Amino acid sequence: MTTTVRDVVTVAAPPPGPSWGTRLRGPAVFATIAVLALVVAPLLLEPFRLGLLAKYLCYAIVALGIGLAWGQGGMLTLGQGVFFGFGGYAMGMYLKLHDAGGDLPDFMVWSGVEKLPGLWVPFGNPVLAVVFAVAGPVLLAVLLGSLVFRQRVRGAYFAILTQALAAALVILLVGQQGLTGGTNGLTNFFDLFGQDLAADNTQRGLYIVVAVVLGLLYLLAWQMVRSRFGRLLIAVRDGEDRVRFLGYNPATVKTITFAVSAGMAGLAGALFVPVVGIISPALLGVVPSLELVVAVAVGGRFSLAGAILGAVVMGYAKTSFSEQFADGWLYLQGALFILVMTLAPKGIFGVAAAARGMIAARRREPA
């Protein structure tokens, strides 16, 4: 019997629905994690550790977009740092202008700049800065996707292209000392919408905002995957040529998904800047982009929740290893990746799914 892609994307008569316990399991787990993140974590963690968790959640937003593009759509993107940097620099430019109070930012004074560049003028408005942090990456992804996917560039070629884009952006930022801060980037932020960024209450509020945004984006991505568009996206991942022969346009599907993942990365960058207090080329080059892909692979790229879990686990491991083993933490981080990929190619969530399958199979066996 031959199965066509139309069987995947066509809405047919639904099979018998799952039990109420199965239907409620997902929302119950999501609600439990939301309570732990929004209520328990701010009460139990000291401000420094809570700030670290907020940073991990910013990376988790980027990882969610990678999981959507790579895990569900088969687009291995190695340059999400580009979109993360767009959002981060947009927010950083607003914060520097706000702190300067109408004068030139400090690094421009040190660099000999006498007049505010025209590129910086729109970012004095916080609304425009936030809009550009999301719309800029989306528009860039749409432009890139329209050019690349229509030419049927995919696989390793697409991955290398996005990686080269990240490297080119870093070179551009480093070379524009008076415009972008060069290697040092943008830092020394003091105020956000009238709130002292160094205050514990402000950092706690930022953590809650990041956690809420991550939860909403996860629900958006989850609904997107479960929709008819999501089934078409998975069909493109598994058989792009067959989807094209059936009359669909894979380039459009991939471009939309790539743009959504880019918007997530841009929003994560905008949230990252007030949480961490810096945005620099070192945070959005090739290596950080690869680390996020590794985190998604560790968590499980075929699961949206796995991508988030992988980003948090890898972020925590990186912090813990660097605190306890300052000289060899990179080797320990690499060993963790090799261990997971060797024993569990589908990541942590793949192990959990296999365990659930074994338990369910044993329960169905006759006594």
Side-chain angles (χ1 to χ4, degrees):
M1 181 177 63
T2 303
T3 302
T4 64
V5 180
R6 189 177 295 275
D7 296 330
V8 179
V9 300
T10 302
V11 179
S19 62
W20 278 106
T22 304
R23 291 179 180 178
L24 295 176
R25 185 181 305 163
V29 172
F30 180 83
T32 302
I33 295 176
V35 170
L36 292 175
L38 296 176
V39 179
V40 178
L43 293 176
L44 296 181
L45 296 178
E46 58 185 16
F48 175 72
R49 297 297 174 183
L50 191 65
L52 287 178
L53 182 56
K55 182 175 74 171
Y56 304 155
L57 295 185
C58 290
Y59 287 141
I61 295 176
V62 186
L64 177 63
I66 296 175
L68 186 64
W70 180 32
Q72 308 299 322
M75 295 170 283
L76 177 56
T77 169
L78 301 180
Q80 289 299 95
V82 173
F83 310 120
F84 183 82
F86 266 72
Y89 270 89
M91 179 58 70
M93 291 163 74
Y94 161 71
L95 293 177
K96 293 299 291 184
L97 291 175
H98 180 71
D99 290 338
D103 298 328
L104 288 177
D106 49 9
F107 74 91
M108 288 188 181
V109 177
W110 304 334
S111 302
V113 178
E114 299 180 355
K115 182 180 179 181
L116 185 68
L119 178 64
W120 277 68
V121 173
F123 294 94
N125 188 314
V127 177
L128 292 180
V130 173
V131 169
F132 181 82
V134 179
V138 170
L139 292 177
L140 178 61
V142 169
L143 176 62
L144 182 63
S146 300
L147 296 175
V148 171
F149 296 136
R150 288 186 179 181
Q151 300 299 323
R152 303 185 184 181
V153 176
R154 54 188 176 184
Y157 300 101
F158 175 73
I160 293 173
L161 178 63
T162 56
Q163 189 178 47
L165 186 63
L169 179 63
V170 170
I171 295 174
L172 177 64
L173 293 174
V174 171
Q176 301 295 323
Q177 174 69 37
L179 186 64
T180 64
T183 306
N184 297 325
L186 305 180
T187 185
N188 295 328
F189 308 120
F190 304 104
D191 184 87
L192 176 65
F193 304 134
Q195 302 296 321
D196 183 11
L197 277 176
D200 293 344
N201 290 335
T202 303
Q203 289 297 316
R204 188 175 293 108
L206 284 172
Y207 165 79
I208 294 176
V209 170
V210 173
V212 170
V213 169
L214 175 59
L216 293 177
L217 290 179
Y218 171 77
L219 292 176
L220 173 65
W222 179 78
Q223 183 61 38
M224 183 176 177
V225 171
R226 287 176 60 90
S227 66
R228 190 171 185 269
F229 178 86
R231 295 195 294 273
L232 181 59
L233 176 64
I234 295 174
V236 170
R237 179 195 68 189
D238 296 337
E240 180 175 340
D241 293 332
R242 298 177 68 185
V243 172
R244 183 179 295 107
F245 294 153
L246 289 172
Y248 296 96
N249 188 357
T252 302
V253 177
K254 296 171 73 173
T255 300
I256 293 174
T257 307
F258 187 47
V260 171
S261 69
M264 290 181 179
L267 183 56
L271 294 172
F272 179 88
V273 170
V275 168
V276 180
I278 186 174
I279 184 68
S280 69
L283 295 172
L284 47 98
V286 174
V287 174
S289 299
L290 288 174
E291 288 181 347
L292 287 169
V293 173
V294 169
V296 173
V298 168
R301 70 183 181 97
F302 296 109
S303 169
L304 298 177
I308 295 175
L309 177 63
V312 175
V313 169
M314 291 297 288
Y316 176 77
K318 183 177 181 179
T319 301
S320 300
F321 290 160
S322 61
E323 288 178 347
Q324 301 178 19
F325 308 99
D327 296 331
W329 66 270
L330 280 175
Y331 299 101
L332 295 175
Q333 188 181 26
L336 175 62
F337 171 67
I338 294 174
L339 181 65
V340 173
M341 290 296 96
T342 303
L343 301 180
K346 293 185 179 181
I348 298 174
F349 258 63
V351 175
R356 288 197 303 268
M358 293 176 60
I359 294 174
R362 290 194 175 186
R363 288 180 177 177
R364 289 194 297 267
E365 291 180 356

